[in-house]
């Protein structure tokens, strides 16, 4: 079965600073990887996804993520954080079946200092 | 465009009372439907998924059940709530046959359940 680890429970960065959120996965086959963002009390919104091809993927809101098979990682990055980026971020690994079930990490809470 | 609705948004229920959370999807047909639970400070746990009317798969043993009476309707129920059922419940949908790779999930706004 697949699993996802987000090592950082909480990260604080200053507005304008760069950001990297870590994600490590475990899956026996080719992974399908996702990053979602959740604002307080809301559902999750897809930021970006990796299925195949270019290992650097671009998403919405200026985010990008890089798939590194050798490290089993899919870290999320943003060069300059905005106060509105404060939220909880979830990494997920998907299964390539008709049901398309996804397994989520426990999330990383991002606080942005002014 | 597709939209997903969940209600109620907030619910406070006593222990032992029944539960019904409803989720509907518009703008698509034959979606895969999912119920996830998010406990405080934790990630999402898949509870149930459905690939068609009347077809329900349970991922974890629990006090809850799910039903899919119509193609775009997914209901989460309990006959008697426990304190441990408190949490944030999220409904999601995905296309039944993805054009490539695994299915992207689109989530509803969630239902916060507090059991007292």
């Amino acid at each position: 079965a697949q699993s996802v680890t987000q090592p950082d429970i909480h990260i604080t960065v200053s507005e304008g600073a760069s950001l990297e959120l870590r994600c490590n996965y475990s899956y026996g086959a080719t992974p399908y990887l996702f990053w979602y963002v959740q604002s307080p009390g809301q559902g999750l919104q897809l930021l970006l996804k990796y299925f195949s091809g270019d290992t650097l993927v671009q998403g919405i809101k200026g985010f990008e993520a890089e798939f590194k098979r050798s490290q089993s990682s899919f870290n999320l990055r943003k060069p300059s954080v905005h106060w509105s980026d404060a939220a909880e971020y979830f990494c997920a690994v998907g299964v390539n079946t008709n049901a398309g079930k996804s397994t989520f990490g426990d999330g990383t809470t991002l606080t942005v200092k002014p | 465009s597709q939209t997903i609705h969940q209600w109620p948004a907030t619910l406070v229920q006593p222990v032992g009372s029944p539960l019904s959370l409803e989720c509907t999807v518009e703008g698509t047909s034959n979606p895969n439907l999912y119920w996830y639970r998010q406990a405080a400070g934790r990630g999402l746990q898949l509870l149930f998924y459905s690939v068609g009317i009347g077809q329900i798969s349970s991922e974890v043993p629990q006090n809850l059940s799910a039903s899919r009476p119509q193609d775009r309707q997914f209901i989460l129920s309990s006959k008697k709530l426990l304190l441990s059922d408190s949490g944030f419940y999220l409904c999601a949908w995905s296309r039944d046959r993805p054009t490539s790779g695994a299915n992207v999930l689109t989530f509803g706004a969630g239902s916060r359940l507090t059991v007292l």
Side-chain angles (χ1 to χ4, degrees):
Chain A
Q2 66 271 27
S3 65
V4 178
T5 301
Q6 293 181 245
D8 305 304
I9 296 173
H10 195 170
I11 283 184
T12 300
V13 300
S14 298
E15 190 168 16
S18 63
L19 171 71
E20 182 170 32
L21 302 182
R22 296 183 292 165
C23 172
N24 294 99
Y25 69 90
S26 175
Y27 184 52
T30 302
Y32 300 92
L33 298 162
F34 309 86
W35 275 99
Y36 291 85
V37 60
Q38 183 182 32
S39 298
Q42 298 297 314
L44 279 70
Q45 180 186 21
L46 180 71
L47 281 176
L48 48 77
K49 61 184 184 291
Y50 171 78
F51 287 167
S52 64
D54 193 348
T55 56
L56 183 64
V57 294
Q58 304 295 321
I60 61 172
K61 305 184 181 185
F63 286 92
E64 66 178 25
E66 186 171 13
F67 169 58
K68 293 186 177 180
R69 184 185 298 274
S70 62
Q71 299 178 19
S72 297
S73 69
F74 189 56
N75 294 348
L76 182 71
R77 300 194 295 249
K78 187 170 184 177
S80 178
V81 170
H82 187 262
W83 65 266
S84 61
D85 293 325
E88 190 158 18
Y89 292 80
F90 292 93
C91 182
V93 58
V95 180
N96 188 22
T97 67
N98 189 39
K101 298 177 290 180
S102 289
T103 298
F104 287 78
D106 285 345
T108 297
T109 300
L110 173 66
T111 298
V112 180
K113 294 190 302 183
Chain B
S1 63
Q2 302 85 18
T3 56
I4 178 169
H5 304 281
Q6 262 187 261
W7 69 93
T10 305
L11 195 60
V12 181
Q13 292 286 99
V15 170
S17 64
L19 171 73
S20 180
L21 300 179
E22 189 164 343
C23 172
T24 59
V25 180
E26 297 177 357
T28 189
S29 59
N30 197 32
N32 292 337
L33 296 172
Y34 311 82
W35 279 111
Y36 282 86
R37 177 168 59 199
Q38 185 177 22
R42 299 293 302 277
L44 279 72
Q45 180 186 37
L46 179 62
L47 302 177
F48 301 95
Y49 70 93
S50 171
V51 298
I53 295 174
Q55 300 178 58
I56 308 295
S57 296
S58 174
E59 289 293 293
V60 293
Q62 60 207 316
N63 184 43
L64 303 169
S65 62
S67 62
R68 184 170 178 174
Q70 300 180 43
D71 180 45
R72 290 169 289 178
Q73 183 184 29
F74 204 25
I75 297 171
L76 185 69
S77 304
S78 175
K79 292 182 179 178
K80 291 185 177 182
L81 283 168
L82 306 172
L83 287 174
S84 57
D85 291 324
S86 293
F88 193 51
Y89 290 83
L90 289 158
C91 181
W93 76 273
S94 68
R95 298 190 185 284
D96 64 335
R97 299 188 190 285
T99 55
S100 63
N103 296 319
V104 173
L105 296 172
T106 301
F107 287 85
S111 298
R112 179 150 321 269
L113 171 66
T114 303
V115 182
L116 301 176

